[in-house]
Amino acid sequence: MEKPERLLYIYTRFLNGKTLNKEALAKALNVNLRTIQRDISDLNHFIYEDAEWQGLEGSIVYDKYIEQHRLKINKYKFESKRLLNLVFRMKTFTPIIHEDTYNLIRGLNANINLGEKTLSNKLLSQFKLNKVKVESQLIFNIQIAIEYNEFISLAINNQNKIKVIPIYTRYYDRKHWFTYYYHGTITCVNLDNVREVTTLSDQFETDIIEKIEPTTFHFTTSIWEEIHKQFIIVHTQNVENGIVAKIIISQQETLQLAYKYANDITILHPQAYVDAFKLKLKNLFTKYK
């Protein structure tokens, strides 16, 4: 490898937050240790002279605690800390991020200054990457199908694939849920249980959704702001003590909402949903005698 390529190889890795061992570098690049040391000196001279590094006090140093070289920046002139704050917060609750998230943040790094970019890349290098297909890809496929009124082929656990009409996705109780229309019934499924989601080329008529029988609720004003952003609202009416609204929603979600917000939500129609909720409460009370 020629010197320009070698310098670029080393410099890129330092910018991405990696620490480098001189012996390993010499072996990987098929040069001796003195050549690697000269390369590091040349890079330090470049960093000192380059206008992009002015005020950042950057240098490649030897860290005796890890026995490797790393890029050190003593001062940061951040124009915006939002991206860094995001990465810092991610580190507080998970050591693993999905490859898609990693690539997204790396792409956003292109729009920030050199100091912030270097620290962000260094933090990213400390995560373990997960390349397994996750809910985000499933949600993306579902949202694309919703946007273009396309049918979906859905596989749940070990069941056979079914052709469904996608209605919406929703985050509830720390899980992602998918609500769809199948054989005259609105059904909700936890995406953890979904094996495959494939958008199909044929489209459904939007009036199919318009013909779905909505569920009628009474909401207090305080809870309405949260509710109306999550569901398809067919009709609303302001009443003295809140709002009466007709919503496209599955029975499962209806019971979840009515139970979680018992003081703020009342199921009015259909009667089957009302009866199902009464039974749910009755079964709960039988445990307490």
Side-chain angles (χ1 to χ4, degrees):
M1 184 180 290
E2 298 297 324
K3 182 169 184 175
E5 296 172 305
R6 197 171 62 243
L7 290 175
L8 183 59
Y9 178 94
I10 299 172
Y11 184 58
T12 301
R13 280 152 180 75
F14 279 131
L15 283 180
N16 286 336
K18 295 183 180 298
T19 57
L20 301 176
N21 176 274
K22 286 196 301 183
E23 287 77 9
L25 266 180
K27 183 176 180 180
L29 301 178
N30 196 27
V31 294
N32 57 45
L33 285 176
R34 293 181 61 186
T35 299
I36 294 298
Q37 185 58 56
R38 284 196 298 269
D39 288 344
I40 291 176
S41 296
D42 289 341
L43 286 174
N44 264 329
H45 180 72
F46 166 76
I47 291 171
Y48 179 79
E49 295 290 340
D50 185 49
E52 286 290 329
W53 284 94
Q54 294 302 310
L56 298 176
E57 298 183 9
S59 61
I60 298 170
V61 299
Y62 179 74
D63 191 325
K64 63 181 180 180
Y65 294 104
I66 59 175
E67 298 182 345
Q68 298 197 57
H69 283 76
R70 64 180 177 85
L71 180 61
K72 179 182 178 182
I73 301 177
N74 293 326
K75 293 182 180 180
Y76 295 94
K77 294 184 177 180
F78 298 142
E79 297 173 358
S80 170
K81 298 184 178 65
R82 288 178 295 179
L83 184 59
L84 269 180
N85 286 338
L86 171 63
V87 182
F88 272 125
R89 290 185 181 185
M90 289 169 60
K91 280 184 59 63
T92 63
F93 63 79
T94 178
I96 303 172
I97 59 174
H98 192 266
E99 185 179 35
D100 292 343
T101 303
Y102 175 86
N103 290 333
L104 173 62
I105 296 176
R106 285 293 304 275
L108 293 174
N109 277 347
N111 300 318
I112 59 180
N113 66 49
L114 189 57
E116 189 171 359
K117 179 187 300 183
T118 303
L119 181 55
S120 177
N121 285 337
K122 183 176 181 179
L123 291 172
L124 281 175
S125 70
Q126 297 171 18
F127 285 97
K128 181 179 179 181
L129 291 187
N130 175 14
K131 298 185 179 183
V132 178
K133 190 175 183 180
V134 294
E135 288 93 344
S136 58
Q137 185 60 49
L138 298 178
I139 293 172
F140 176 79
N141 291 342
I142 293 169
Q143 293 301 137
I144 289 295
I146 292 173
E147 178 69 20
Y148 292 100
N149 302 328
E150 293 175 331
F151 284 96
I152 276 179
S153 173
L154 177 66
I156 302 173
N157 291 331
N158 296 323
Q159 300 176 18
N160 293 329
K161 294 180 181 179
I162 57 176
K163 184 178 178 180
V164 306
I165 293 176
I167 306 296
Y168 54 79
T169 58
R170 177 170 169 259
Y171 186 75
Y172 171 77
D173 197 24
R174 298 184 179 181
K175 295 183 182 295
H176 292 281
W177 302 83
F178 171 39
T179 300
Y180 59 91
Y181 188 63
Y182 178 65
H183 283 188
T185 302
I186 303 178
T187 304
C188 178
V189 62
N190 181 349
L191 280 182
D192 288 343
N193 299 324
V194 173
R195 186 176 80 250
E196 181 182 336
V197 166
T198 305
T199 56
L200 303 178
S201 58
D202 53 330
Q203 296 180 311
F204 60 85
E205 299 294 333
T206 56
D207 61 357
I208 293 179
I209 295 178
E210 295 172 1
K211 293 176 182 178
I212 297 175
E213 182 181 7
T215 302
T216 306
F217 295 90
H218 175 273
F219 300 99
T220 62
T221 305
S222 59
I223 198 66
W224 176 245
E225 183 66 24
E226 177 181 343
I227 294 298
H228 89 276
K229 295 178 180 178
Q230 301 183 52
F231 301 97
I232 298 175
I233 311 300
V234 177
H235 177 76
T236 61
Q237 179 184 354
N238 292 321
V239 294
E240 185 176 350
N241 55 345
I243 295 169
V244 173
K246 293 183 178 181
I247 296 174
I248 301 296
I249 186 174
S250 67
Q251 178 175 320
Q252 179 183 351
E253 292 170 292
T254 297
L255 301 187
Q256 287 175 343
L257 285 177
Y259 183 75
K260 182 175 182 179
Y261 303 103
N263 294 326
D264 297 298
I265 296 176
T266 304
I267 309 168
L268 301 179
H269 182 80
Q271 188 61 41
Y273 286 15
V274 176
D275 293 340
F277 185 63
K278 288 180 179 179
L279 181 61
K280 179 182 177 73
L281 295 178
K282 181 179 179 181
N283 291 336
L284 179 63
F285 275 103
T286 58
K287 296 182 180 179
Y288 299 91
K289 298 182 180 179

